[in-house]
Amino acid sequence: MKFITVITVAMFAAGSAYGQNAEIGTWAGFRKGAASFTFDDGAPSHVSDAGPVFDKYGYKGTFNLVYNWNPNWSGFQSLADNGHEIASHSNSHGQNMSGEEASSKTNIGGKIKQKYGIITVAYPNCNVPNERAVLQNYIVGRICNGSWQGMSDIMGKNGPSNWAKASAIMTGSEGQIKSTNDFTGQMQKAVQSNGWVAFLTHGFSGKNNGSATYSPTDLGAIEGALQWAKQNDKDIWVAPMGFVAMYIKERNAAKIEGSSDSNSMTFELKHNIADSISKYDYPLSIRVKTSWSKVEVTQNGAKLDSKIESGYVYFDAVPNGGKIVVKNGNATGTGNTTTRTTTKTIPSSGSCWASSLGYKCCTSSTVVAYTDSNGQWGIQNDDWCGIPNTNNRNCWARNLGYNCCSTQSCRNAQFSDTDGQWDIENGEWCGISTSNVLC
Ligand SMILES: *[C@@H]1O[C@H](CO)[C@@H](O)[C@H](O)[C@H]1NC(C)=O
Ligand SMILES: *[C@@H]1O[C@H](CO)[C@@H](O)[C@H](O)[C@H]1NC(C)=O
Ligand SMILES: *[C@@H]1O[C@H](CO)[C@@H](O)[C@H](O)[C@H]1NC(C)=O
Ligand SMILES: *[C@@H]1O[C@H](CO)[C@@H](O)[C@H](O)[C@H]1NC(C)=O
Ligand SMILES: *[C@@H]1O[C@H](CO)[C@@H](O)[C@H](O)[C@H]1NC(C)=O
Ligand SMILES: *[C@@H]1O[C@H](CO)[C@@H](O)[C@H](O)[C@H]1NC(C)=O
């Protein structure tokens, strides 16, 4: 006879304090500051020179294109495919792009396919067009040096006070940012203030600039800045302007709530930003206090990268992207909140339906001596034995005092013995029979 114990630990204990122990990072990776490199006018050198330099360090920039200047669409598409952001710099680069807010988005969006669409606009000549139209079509509108518009040059952790007026400091011959030290000095200020600095670059000295002839910048100075960022990667987050803007808006609108039991914590990360401009599912960085030395983190069933450091588990998750589960990686079993233990003894070989009736099973092919509702009986060693019936495995478990698994869902064999394969249903073992479909 077999004994099975199924212990179900209370799921999702109500009122758990774990929600308070989960925090969203001010910046991705819990870094101290953010930096964005933006490039105006769609120069050929942006594709041929800037893209590869950024890719070399694993960083991404924002490239603001002028639709009527017919930039190298396939070249910029390949930048977008590499994770860079392509954005609008108007249709015609007039003195004031007012009236082209929506159409330039549609036009450029028709040429460039990228995950979040065209979500950033940079104004030609730094002139703010119709703010309402900007904010209806874009997540962020970019001016030039903030100080020109009465804004700060380095933005705070919540971005600009007006999302139609994000600052970017001009680089190159006409700006104050020329050398690597100039760039890194601004990035250090962002780190020190937990803020966000953006740079505005046009063409590069000595490179093929096309229409981007204003204020050439030394690309080597930018490369030096990226090298510095790589060395200080734990402090500075380098990312495209639109992505940083999205992160800030999501972070400020998101709530994370959780519940837990002894071996897992479950979280919901949600915001209710309308998706009229984009889907706002840029991943947010989360950390949760833990005493576990090994964890596995999943969202909506898919595994997330995670690390444990100084008593926290760190991972990035998508808001409104399904349940986040942090499991104790040292816990045994499937790690679900249900712990399964069994004393189900492995029966002697030859066991079959008859064992539940106190008889042995026939070990060799035997003539049928008797048939009843239990099955077919033979005789071996002067005793009845049950003839294993491989053609009739349907609901074999019932003879053993268990239910057969329902056919409502596919089955996973959690345990196998010579009786057959077992799954768990409603906290009890059930036998997988020929009427079930395996997952
Ligand atoms: C456009 O960019 C691609 C690289 O993606 C390059 O091979 C091609 O020469 C560029 N075309 C022009 C006209 O610059
Ligand atoms: C640009 O156009 C907008 C909307 O018409 C207007 O409010 C703004 O003052 C203009 N800017 C300049 C510098 O002319
Ligand atoms: C802003 O840019 C202008 C022109 O490029 C430059 O003269 C000025 O010094 C800059 N201001 C700051 C604070 O960088
Ligand atoms: C533009 O490109 C040329 C080389 O093609 C370079 O010599 C020049 O410095 C660049 N000028 C500007 C304004 O970017
Ligand atoms: C958890 O697992 C890690 C590595 O597998 C091990 O070093 C550690 O001692 C385990 N902790 C516990 C509490 O079992
Ligand atoms: C955990 O168990 C519950 C109830 O049996 C089930 O609905 C859920 O899908 C399981 N989750 C995982 C990750 O196995």
Side-chain angles (χ1 to χ4, degrees):
M1 200 62 202
K2 304 161 190 76
F3 301 93
I4 296 176
T5 315
V6 178
I7 298 170
T8 304
V9 174
M11 303 183 68
F12 313 129
S16 149
Y18 277 98
Q20 283 92 56
N21 288 342
E23 295 166 63
I24 302 173
T26 300
W27 302 116
F30 284 78
R31 293 179 179 88
K32 294 177 183 152
S36 298
F37 291 78
T38 74
F39 298 91
D40 283 10
D41 298 346
S45 58
H46 292 169
V47 174
S48 56
D49 298 82
V53 165
F54 275 73
D55 290 342
K56 181 173 161 189
Y57 296 94
Y59 291 131
K60 306 297 165 192
T62 297
F63 297 88
N64 304 301
L65 307 185
V66 180
Y67 179 71
N68 292 346
W69 286 0
N70 200 27
N72 181 351
W73 294 114
S74 69
F76 282 104
Q77 179 63 60
S78 61
L79 290 192
D81 295 343
N82 265 340
H84 298 277
E85 179 186 21
I86 306 302
S88 169
H89 194 38
S90 82
N91 289 326
S92 57
H93 207 291
Q95 189 59 27
N96 188 332
M97 73 171 280
S98 195
E100 297 181 355
E101 298 89 347
S103 58
S104 64
K105 176 189 172 93
T106 308
N107 290 339
I108 297 166
K111 295 284 193 181
I112 300 287
K113 295 291 159 248
Q114 57 189 347
K115 176 166 187 200
Y116 297 107
I118 307 292
I119 58 174
T120 300
V121 59
Y123 314 133
N125 302 301
C126 316
N127 288 324
V128 183
N130 182 322
E131 284 189 25
R132 208 175 116 83
V134 166
L135 297 174
Q136 276 171 347
N137 287 284
Y138 301 92
I139 288 172
V140 53
R142 198 215 68 199
I143 53 176
C144 306
N145 296 10
S147 45
W148 287 358
Q149 297 275 344
M151 313 285 287
S152 53
D153 280 332
I154 295 187
M155 297 171 280
K157 73 180 171 69
N158 293 327
S161 55
N162 176 348
W163 280 104
K165 289 185 177 182
S167 313
I169 307 174
M170 189 84 77
T171 76
S173 60
E174 309 297 319
Q176 286 182 346
I177 310 297
K178 303 181 203 301
S179 67
T180 290
N181 279 349
D182 296 338
F183 280 99
T184 58
Q186 299 296 330
M187 289 196 277
Q188 274 163 325
K189 280 190 200 166
V191 167
Q192 279 151 18
S193 63
N194 275 170
W196 176 26
V197 63
F199 300 108
L200 159 50
T201 299
H202 294 80
F204 304 115
S205 18
K207 306 290 184 195
N208 182 6
N209 306 308
S211 308
T213 54
Y214 179 72
S215 193
T217 302
D218 174 14
L219 183 57
I222 295 183
E223 177 158 8
L226 298 181
Q227 268 165 4
W228 179 88
K230 202 80 212 166
Q231 282 154 11
N232 293 276
D233 189 66
K234 68 175 193 350
D235 290 335
I236 186 89
W237 178 38
V238 177
M241 176 163 266
F243 299 179
V244 175
M246 200 176 250
Y247 188 100
I248 295 171
K249 293 188 183 192
E250 289 178 14
R251 177 235 289 153
N252 288 347
K255 283 200 169 41
I256 182 159
E257 288 175 346
S259 58
S260 67
D261 65 31
S262 57
N263 272 324
S264 75
M265 299 181 263
T266 301
F267 297 97
E268 295 275 8
L269 173 66
K270 289 193 166 162
H271 66 60
N272 58 5
I273 309 176
D275 60 3
S276 50
I277 297 175
S278 192
K279 204 167 163 249
Y280 291 94
D281 61 358
Y282 194 84
L284 293 176
S285 294
I286 313 286
R287 71 175 187 186
V288 184
K289 276 197 180 134
T290 186
S291 55
W292 300 332
S293 56
K294 199 177 152 199
V295 296
E296 186 184 284
V297 184
T298 55
Q299 182 167 30
N300 208 20
K303 196 166 184 296
L304 300 179
D305 285 340
S306 65
K307 65 166 183 188
I308 294 181
E309 216 174 84
S310 313
Y312 287 96
V313 51
Y314 290 82
F315 55 89
D316 288 354
V318 171
N320 304 333
K323 271 200 173 58
I324 300 162
V325 182
V326 179
K327 290 194 294 200
N328 180 352
N330 278 1
T332 52
T334 58
N336 202 335
T337 48
T338 306
T339 305
R340 295 172 186 123
T341 59
T342 179
T343 55
K344 196 174 193 335
T345 50
I346 307 298
S348 58
S349 84
S351 173
C352 68
W353 55 269
S355 59
S356 63
L357 302 171
Y359 293 91
K360 291 210 164 73
C361 298
C362 311
T363 52
S364 56
S365 63
T366 314
V367 286
V368 178
Y370 183 67
T371 301
D372 65 13
S373 61
N374 292 307
Q376 296 175 324
W377 299 90
I379 295 175
Q380 245 177 8
N381 304 326
D382 290 325
D383 200 356
W384 292 108
C385 64
I387 300 175
N389 188 344
T390 48
N391 296 327
N392 184 20
R393 295 294 285 167
N394 214 11
C395 207
W396 51 269
R398 191 171 296 139
N399 285 333
L400 301 172
Y402 296 94
N403 288 325
C404 295
C405 304
S406 87
T407 52
Q408 299 298 324
S409 56
C410 68
R411 312 308 325 188
N412 289 302
Q414 312 265 359
F415 184 83
S416 303
D417 61 15
T418 49
D419 292 328
Q421 295 181 315
W422 301 88
D423 197 357
I424 289 179
E425 194 165 56
N426 304 322
E428 295 286 347
W429 293 106
C430 65
I432 299 174
S433 67
T434 48
S435 40
N436 291 124
V437 176
L438 292 176
C439 296

